Amino acid sequence: MRKIAIDVVLLLPEEVEDKAIAINKELVKIGPENIIFEREKCVPHASLCMAVIDEKDLNKIENVLKEILRNFDKLHLEILGIKSKINPLGKISNSFDIAKDKELQRLHEEIMIKLSPFFHKEAAEENFFLPLKYRELTIRWTEEYPETSAFEKFKPHVSLGFGELQENVAPFSFTRSRIAVFQMGDYCTCKKKLIELGMPV
């Protein structure tokens, strides 16, 4: 049976996606060795859950997510600015820093808990959308997500790419009501959309 590495994500409204793609383009100019955003093939997002699952369970996972979303309205979130840090590759990694939000935290935790019966602990290169340049890091981040990035360690953000930015962005708010499940690619990017769902409005 085929296993795939998935990312359950909060999709961004078009204007926020545009900002992320514009910043990413600037970072690619600085350093071509970068993640490169595209609207359909490498989608800016805020991760809610990363895991390896059996591909045959996608329909069950979609039904679980539909049940979860019935208990949520639109999320009203704030981006505080761009956060930069040195990543394990020794590169400056940039992201939109999303303010802590009770409803976003609750959504993350419900997804983690209710999808956990589908999770496999180990990841392998063939679970991802290939090719993988950052193979070791991509696999490790996926395997360690429940321990290093979930529940009390959940830090909502939108990755933007590598390089030293000269300017920050002013804080801004956005509203979103759609999530998606992607097969992950290199550096845990969102490469192949498998499911898209909306919250009741």
Side-chain angles (χ1 to χ4, degrees), residues 46-128:
S47 292
L48 298 170
C49 168
M50 287 163 45
V52 173
I53 57 114
D54 290 324
E55 189 174 28
K56 68 177 179 61
D57 287 332
L58 275 173
N59 285 340
K60 293 177 183 177
I61 286 170
E62 182 172 0
N63 289 332
V64 171
L65 291 172
K66 284 178 180 177
E67 283 296 319
I68 291 171
L69 292 181
R70 285 178 184 158
N71 298 314
F72 287 87
D73 297 317
K74 286 184 178 180
L75 295 169
H76 303 282
L77 304 172
E78 182 182 10
I79 288 178
L80 301 173
I82 295 175
K83 186 174 183 178
S84 301
K85 64 179 183 180
I86 302 297
N87 69 11
L89 301 170
K91 300 174 183 284
I92 299 174
S93 181
N94 306 281
S95 60
F96 282 149
D97 186 20
I98 300 176
K100 285 282 189 179
D101 178 85
K102 288 182 180 179
E103 283 298 279
L104 182 61
Q105 182 72 29
R106 184 168 73 90
L107 178 61
H108 156 72
E109 292 186 8
E110 286 206 26
I111 290 171
M112 286 296 299
I113 291 166
K114 292 180 179 178
L115 292 190
S116 63
F118 301 102
F119 295 171
H120 292 277
K121 290 185 177 180
E122 294 184 356
E125 186 169 8
E126 60 266 23
N127 304 148
F128 296 84

Side-chain angles (χ1 to χ4, degrees), residues 8-16 46 48 65-66 68-77 98 101 103-104 107 111 173-181 193 195-201:
V8 184
V9 307
L10 183 71
L11 294 172
L12 304 173
E14 187 174 350
E15 65 273 16
V16 181
L48 298 170
L65 291 172
K66 284 178 180 177
I68 291 171
L69 292 181
R70 285 178 184 158
N71 298 314
F72 287 87
D73 297 317
K74 286 184 178 180
L75 295 169
H76 303 282
L77 304 172
I98 300 176
D101 178 85
E103 283 298 279
L104 182 61
L107 178 61
I111 290 171
S173 299
F174 69 97
T175 300
R176 202 52 176 143
S177 62
R178 300 199 70 77
I179 69 168
V181 178
K193 188 189 292 181
I195 298 167
E196 182 174 347
L197 298 168
M199 301 171 193
V201 293

Side-chain angles (χ1 to χ4, degrees), residues 17 37-43 182 190-193:
E17 192 175 87
F37 285 154
E38 299 178 61
R39 288 202 186 280
E40 298 297 328
K41 297 180 181 178
C42 189
V43 181
F182 285 83
C190 283
K191 297 296 288 186
K192 181 182 179 182
K193 188 189 292 181

Side-chain angles (χ1 to χ4, degrees), residues 156-168:
H157 66 279
V158 179
S159 295
L160 298 170
F162 315 137
E164 187 172 356
L165 288 167
Q166 300 303 313
E167 297 182 13
N168 207 320

Side-chain angles (χ1 to χ4, degrees), residues 130-197:
L130 299 175
L132 296 186
K133 177 180 179 181
Y134 304 114
R135 176 185 174 279
E136 183 179 341
L137 192 58
T138 301
I139 290 172
R140 175 159 60 87
W141 277 348
T142 305
E143 290 181 337
E144 295 179 352
Y145 185 87
E147 289 75 38
T148 63
S149 303
F151 299 102
E152 72 278 1
K153 295 181 180 178
F154 177 59
K155 295 179 180 177
H157 66 279
V158 179
S159 295
L160 298 170
F162 315 137
E164 187 172 356
L165 288 167
Q166 300 303 313
E167 297 182 13
N168 207 320
V169 298
F172 64 94
S173 299
F174 69 97
T175 300
R176 202 52 176 143
S177 62
R178 300 199 70 77
I179 69 168
V181 178
F182 285 83
Q183 183 181 16
M184 286 191 289
D186 202 21
Y187 205 75
C188 296
T189 49
C190 283
K191 297 296 288 186
K192 181 182 179 182
K193 188 189 292 181
L194 305 168
I195 298 167
E196 182 174 347
L197 298 168

